[in-house]
Amino acid sequence: VSWLARNAFPIGLAAAGFTLAVGLPTGDPDTYWHLVSGRWMLDHREILRTDIFSSTVAGQPYSVGEWLGEVVLALVFGMGQWTGLAIFRAFLVAIAAFSLARLARRGGAPLVAALLVVTWALVVSKTRWTDRPAIFTFVLFPVVLDLLYAARAGSRRALLAIPPLVLLWANLHGGYAIGIALVLAFTVEALVRRRPGAGAFALTLLASIALSFIDPETFGVGNAAAHALAPPRFISEEAPPDILEPSGLVFAAFVLAALGIAFLQGGGLLELLLLVPLLWLGLSAQRHLLFFVFAATPFIAAGAARLYVRIRRPTRSLRPMPAPAAAALALLLCAGALASAVGAPAVPDEHAYPTGAVDALRTGSGTLLHEYDWGGFLIFRVPERKVFVDGRLFPFYPAVLSDYRDAVELRPNWKDVLARYDVREVLLMPDKALAVALREDGWKVRAEGATFVLLARP
Amino acid sequence: MRTPLIVPVAIGAFFGAISTRLPVGDSDVYWHVVLGKQVLQGHVALPEALSGLSWTALGYGGSSDQWLGQALLALAYDGGWRGLVALRAVAVALLVGLIVYAAIRERPGRPLGAVLAAFPAIALSRFVWTERPELFGFICFALLIVLLRAGRAGSAGALFWVPPLIVVWANLHGSFALGAILAIGVAAEGALAQPARMRMYLWTAAGAVIATLLTPAAIGAWTAPGFHLLHPPRSIQEWSVPDVTSLPGILFFVVILATFATAFFARTRAPREAVVLLPVLFVSLIATRQTPLFAIAAVPYLAAYGGEAATELAAMVRVRLPRMSSVARPPGRAADVMALAAASIVLAIAAATGTAAPDVSGYPVAALPALRPGPGLLNHYDWGGYLIANAPKTPVFVDGRLIPYLEGVLADYTTVIGVHPGWREVIARRGIKQLLVKPTDPVAVRARDLGWPIRASSDTFVLIDVP
């Protein structure tokens, strides 16, 4: 009861996060190939190390560093299909919201300030509530950050949990490097400030790094760094954030709030080591926005609270809710959230995919060239046809992707590309230059919808 | 302590002289000069139907947004490309000089530290050293930062000059809107903090607003800045989102990093800096071309408090920083005058021996003789300005003015150039007779596939007749 009462606020936010996330249908193009990869690994009891999905890099070795994440997603899907996936995702979002709420109150922020900041942080993070291994990084980031803050506040036991979490993280998703970076920032700060327990932080860092190598499908910090330094900009989530769009605007608000609070109240070495690198990362690609936002949450919440006190001294403090009442409220919210699982969608949202072309694709043959974003969908829905490219990205980089873009964007060598790969069918959005040109050149329309056209060589 | 001018003048002149060695011939300078010539002939905001620059925006009523900046460019162009290079050199020298002055004003006794604080802004400003009115806007911005800081620190004279500056700025370039907003913000904060100076701050704020209306377009002058702020044309590179993996983005981020570090560690809290730096940071985060604004605005703050922060941080990591030499007595006014004279000579020599002709390697020079006179050409967006100046008998489809083409022209341009559905219908509906595009543009590739006659071509362009 006392734990529930103490954590009523984080539990409440976790319940809210669960309720919001569970109603969202799957729609991410990468979910499909992750599920198929995971299923393959479960069926074959080995790690998928070579390409089995494409016609362009068939049999070539590759790694996306997410084998365990794919296996977990495939297991969940096997047990509960799309509904199970939605509930699992909501559960992970709830954990993230729980940790974030705890983080927000670490600096002594009152409930209202913490609630406001966490709500907006969750709004930004909504774009990352996807059914991909990346969601494990979305969850583990605030969890590890919360543990590190707990350890910095004196709870050394919190550090014990971190190396195993990094081990798990390294096998779940390639974003584990950011977890090690968090430990590094806390360790450097502890060493420089000569904090008691600096040695424990250093040991945690060493153990985390060592354990991260226990990964049969090593993606590597080098690969992660290379990806961050040269993101493939033609993928929308890899583009820099546009602050005139909703998530970018909230991100900008967090940046300005953090700087504004720094002007007013200053900051410390830890804030510098955490916020500045994560700000660079956030500005480098919109998929990384949330790391800065999450890391800035405790700083902004605490700063906002101090500012409020400066502007308007409270005459009397609010009386805390009695522990039994708080615990009961937390349980009630949990129950409500669990009840909301009945609204979990049973089917994915496939309005952006060429569902109307599936039958025609099954009866077609030869090399198929298609939209990059549809590769995963095709791997899942039309396994009898090999894809040209898909969201795995690395196996296709740079040669196949370059050829793909030359063809689809109607560059001077587009005919050479079609000939070299012996492309027999093309599945594209109707407004693509290649689709327009092939129609004009007499390619046969095999299927057509508002968002796609399937053309076959005459 | 009086702020000596010798260092700002010397550094400004140095970079101004360097700028004379840079290429000249920005794609927009051509149409700015043509519009400037119209202004000098007494035609501010000449309707498109009369100017005949384009054939697709004949209903456009003309724009007076940058008439003064364009007139300055046209005046300089009377001296040929060297004239433009000289004007750009003076403008760059002024901009850099103001950036350095803003820094040294904060720490007149320690010019080296101040110059260090100014360096990222100088480096980032390199990306706006173009022969366009935009450069004049940056000069006004740098000057405004100096005036607002001086005014807030107690100089009534500095605040007095804010509205006149904005009058000039509003007629030079659309970036004046940010200046007016900052002036209002600083005045509001100042009035709250120093009620005794309320009247001066009121003059600054009210004057700044009224000043923005003293243009040929009056309230209409706010249209372009408002549009660009909220709907930046992302397809144009300079309006793209800042990319911190590119060189300008890295420099921009260095300034952000330095600002955060200073705010975290400086012993002196400076909450009023937020009034200027937060809105400017927001504006800078919108588009690459606006990133120098934050770098310039942050210079005096970094100069004032960066040293404190560096000392604090160094003490934290137990590193002893080298002591920067301080100037016991700044040089007198005579030294300033001599520096100004020397700078003028340096700039004059540099301009006389600098770039004398535009870099036209990126333009379709060899296509000019084959262009048909009269309406009917669809040209690449980047070449509109060049054609306006060099092929006056062939009006353009689009050019860098952008605003005249928002009503459907740009959409049609995108459809044709990208070979989107209906591209042939657009060609027929618009009556397009020739295509002057890059060889890698989808429409060029498609036209070659279809066997359309090619009138001229090179590695840079292809001119195609529409059958």
Side-chain angles (χ1 to χ4, degrees), chain A residues 14 17-23 85-95 135:
Chain A
F18 183 96
T19 307
L20 287 173
V22 80
L85 219 47
I87 294 171
F88 181 65
R89 174 216 310 145
F91 175 67
L92 295 178
V93 169
I95 295 174
I135 199 168

Side-chain angles (χ1 to χ4, degrees), chain A residues 191-194 228-231 233 240-244 249 251-252 255-260 262-272 275-277 279-281 283-285 292 299 310 409-415 430-434 436-438 440-441, chain B residues 228-232 234 241-246 249-250 252-253 256-257 259-261 263-266 268-274 277-279 281-286 294 301 313 316-318 418-424 439-443 445-446 449-450:
Chain A
L191 290 171
V192 169
R193 304 306 301 260
R194 295 185 176 167
L229 289 172
R233 295 294 191 205
D242 183 346
I243 66 161
L244 296 180
L249 190 60
F251 167 70
V255 175
L256 298 186
L259 186 56
F263 282 137
L264 280 167
Q265 301 163 7
L269 183 61
L270 183 62
E271 280 79 28
L272 183 76
L275 297 187
V276 172
L279 177 56
W280 182 87
L281 196 64
L283 288 170
S284 73
F292 174 82
F299 181 67
R310 229 168 93 174
E409 294 170 16
L410 212 67
R411 290 179 185 162
N413 62 333
W414 71 274
K415 286 190 175 177
D431 65 341
K432 285 286 160 71
L434 180 61
V436 174
L438 293 180
E440 288 178 355
D441 286 353
Chain B
H228 281 107
L229 185 71
L230 298 175
H231 307 96
R234 296 291 192 208
V241 175
D243 180 354
V244 292
T245 61
S246 67
I250 289 167
F252 176 49
F253 189 75
I256 295 178
L257 185 158
T259 308
F260 262 102
F264 282 149
F265 295 113
T268 313
R269 296 279 161 260
R272 75 176 190 224
E273 301 287 347
L277 291 183
L278 296 189
L281 178 56
F282 181 81
V283 170
S284 292
L285 285 169
I286 290 176
F294 180 70
Y301 171 67
L313 194 55
M316 208 178 280
V317 294
R318 289 171 284 282
V419 188
H420 295 308
W423 71 285
R424 293 218 208 190
T440 52
D441 285 331
V443 72
V445 174
R446 191 62 192 147
D449 290 345
L450 295 171

Side-chain angles (χ1 to χ4, degrees), chain B residues 123-433:
Chain B
L124 196 52
S125 78
R126 159 67 188 89
F127 298 97
V128 294
W129 294 359
T130 55
E131 50 285 2
R132 289 156 52 178
E134 182 192 12
L135 179 57
F136 306 138
F138 275 95
I139 295 170
C140 293
F141 179 78
L143 181 55
L144 179 78
I145 294 296
V146 172
L147 292 178
L148 289 178
R149 287 187 78 87
R152 184 63 182 80
S155 165
L159 289 179
F160 173 82
W161 283 106
V162 169
L165 170 66
I166 292 179
V167 173
V168 176
W169 190 353
N171 289 281
L172 279 170
H173 188 249
S175 51
F176 72 88
L178 176 63
I181 290 165
L182 292 181
I184 294 167
V186 169
E189 187 275 332
L192 284 173
Q194 302 169 320
R197 301 181 68 209
M198 178 75 81
R199 207 185 263 182
M200 202 62 230
Y201 286 120
L202 195 62
W203 153 256
T204 307
V209 174
I210 294 164
T212 65
L213 306 177
L214 303 180
T215 72
I219 188 78
W222 282 82
T223 310
F227 171 81
H228 281 107
L229 185 71
L230 298 175
H231 307 96
R234 296 291 192 208
S235 56
I236 301 171
Q237 196 182 1
E238 64 182 11
W239 281 104
S240 63
V241 175
D243 180 354
V244 292
T245 61
S246 67
L247 179 60
I250 289 167
L251 288 168
F252 176 49
F253 189 75
V254 166
V255 179
I256 295 178
L257 185 158
T259 308
F260 262 102
T262 304
F264 282 149
F265 295 113
R267 286 190 305 279
T268 313
R269 296 279 161 260
R272 75 176 190 224
E273 301 287 347
V275 176
V276 168
L277 291 183
L278 296 189
V280 176
L281 178 56
F282 181 81
V283 170
S284 292
L285 285 169
I286 290 176
T288 303
R289 67 180 250 155
Q290 288 163 185
T291 52
L293 292 171
F294 180 70
I296 292 168
V299 163
Y301 171 67
L302 297 177
Y305 306 110
E308 277 182 22
T311 307
E312 184 73 19
L313 194 55
M316 208 178 280
V317 294
R318 289 171 284 282
V319 170
R320 202 177 170 82
L321 287 180
R323 196 173 164 73
M324 286 205 186
S325 57
S326 60
V327 179
R329 207 181 62 173
R333 289 188 194 281
D336 292 347
V337 173
M338 282 170 64
L340 280 168
S344 306
I345 294 166
V346 166
L347 286 177
I349 294 171
T353 58
T355 309
D359 175 10
V360 292
S361 59
Y363 296 116
V365 182
L368 297 184
L371 290 176
R372 290 185 191 166
L377 174 73
L378 181 137
N379 59 282
H380 195 281
Y381 181 91
D382 290 346
W383 298 337
Y386 175 80
L387 294 173
I388 283 174
N390 293 285
K393 289 183 180 164
T394 307
V396 298
F397 194 94
V398 283
D399 65 78
R401 289 177 296 164
L402 186 69
I403 301 273
Y405 307 110
L406 294 176
E407 299 293 329
V409 180
L410 271 180
D412 281 350
Y413 168 79
T414 307
T415 298
V416 174
I417 205 104
V419 188
H420 295 308
W423 71 285
R424 293 218 208 190
E425 182 273 322
V426 173
I427 285 180
R429 174 164 50 80
R430 288 273 180 190
I432 295 168
K433 296 169 190 155

Side-chain angles (χ1 to χ4, degrees), chain A residues 6 40 120 135 213 224 227 229 236 302 380 452:
Chain A
R6 262 199 336 271
W40 187 95
W120 284 110
I135 199 168
F213 285 100
H227 188 66
L229 289 172
S236 60
F380 188 87
F452 73 89

Side-chain angles (χ1 to χ4, degrees), chain A residues 20-362:
Chain A
L20 287 173
V22 80
L24 299 174
T26 292
D28 192 287
D30 290 348
T31 299
Y32 296 100
W33 63 262
H34 282 304
L35 287 176
V36 178
S37 299
R39 185 72 259 162
W40 187 95
M41 287 187 267
L42 286 170
D43 289 345
H44 292 79
R45 297 188 179 281
E46 64 174 291
I47 286 172
L48 181 57
R49 297 176 196 274
T50 54
D51 173 62
I52 55 168
F53 302 127
S54 84
S55 61
T56 49
V57 292
Q60 290 187 23
Y62 79 98
S63 164
V64 290
E66 302 169 349
W67 74 274
L68 185 56
E70 290 171 333
V71 165
V72 170
L73 289 176
L75 278 171
V76 171
F77 186 76
M79 287 188 286
Q81 299 294 297
W82 298 107
T83 305
L85 219 47
I87 294 171
F88 181 65
R89 174 216 310 145
F91 175 67
L92 295 178
V93 169
I95 295 174
F98 179 87
S99 299
L100 201 57
R102 281 169 58 96
L103 276 171
R105 299 208 68 187
R106 287 233 169 255
L111 202 73
V112 178
L115 182 64
L116 267 175
V117 179
V118 173
T119 301
W120 284 110
L122 286 173
V123 166
V124 173
S125 74
K126 188 175 164 291
T127 55
R128 310 312 304 162
W129 299 357
T130 56
D131 303 311
R132 291 157 52 180
I135 199 168
F136 296 113
T137 289
F138 160 76
V139 176
L140 287 167
F141 181 86
V143 168
V144 168
L145 193 57
D146 187 43
L147 288 170
L148 286 165
Y149 270 112
R152 188 167 176 259
S155 171
R156 299 283 175 270
R157 279 188 311 174
L159 289 177
L160 291 175
I162 290 175
L165 278 177
V166 171
L167 169 64
L168 186 67
W169 196 344
N171 288 274
L172 284 168
H173 183 243
Y176 71 92
I178 205 166
I180 293 177
L182 287 180
V183 184
L184 176 68
F186 275 79
T187 304
V188 170
E189 195 260 354
L191 290 171
V192 169
R193 304 306 301 260
R194 295 185 176 167
R195 288 188 184 281
F201 274 100
L203 278 176
T204 306
L205 176 65
L206 292 174
S208 298
I209 293 171
L211 288 178
S212 74
F213 285 100
I214 304 177
D215 174 5
E217 196 205 359
T218 305
F219 183 63
V221 175
N223 273 344
H227 188 66
L229 289 172
R233 295 294 191 205
F234 74 96
I235 300 171
S236 60
E237 67 178 11
E238 299 280 4
D242 183 346
I243 66 161
L244 296 180
E245 288 176 359
S247 61
L249 190 60
V250 179
F251 167 70
F254 270 78
V255 175
L256 298 186
L259 186 56
I261 286 166
F263 282 137
L264 280 167
Q265 301 163 7
L269 183 61
L270 183 62
E271 280 79 28
L272 183 76
L273 293 171
L274 278 180
L275 297 187
V276 172
L278 292 175
L279 177 56
W280 182 87
L281 196 64
L283 288 170
S284 73
Q286 50 187 295
R287 64 182 294 187
H288 301 313
L289 289 187
L290 67 96
F291 299 123
F292 174 82
V293 169
F294 281 9
T297 291
F299 181 67
I300 293 173
R306 283 196 295 272
L307 182 64
Y308 181 76
V309 170
R310 229 168 93 174
I311 294 170
R312 187 174 175 170
R313 274 182 199 288
T315 46
R316 64 195 171 104
S317 56
L318 288 171
R319 255 202 355 227
M321 193 182 276
L329 182 62
L331 283 175
L332 195 67
L333 288 169
C334 284
L338 289 175
S340 71
V342 296
V347 288
D349 174 8
E350 294 185 336
H351 79 273
Y353 299 110
T355 46
V358 168
D359 290 339
L361 284 166
R362 286 194 177 125

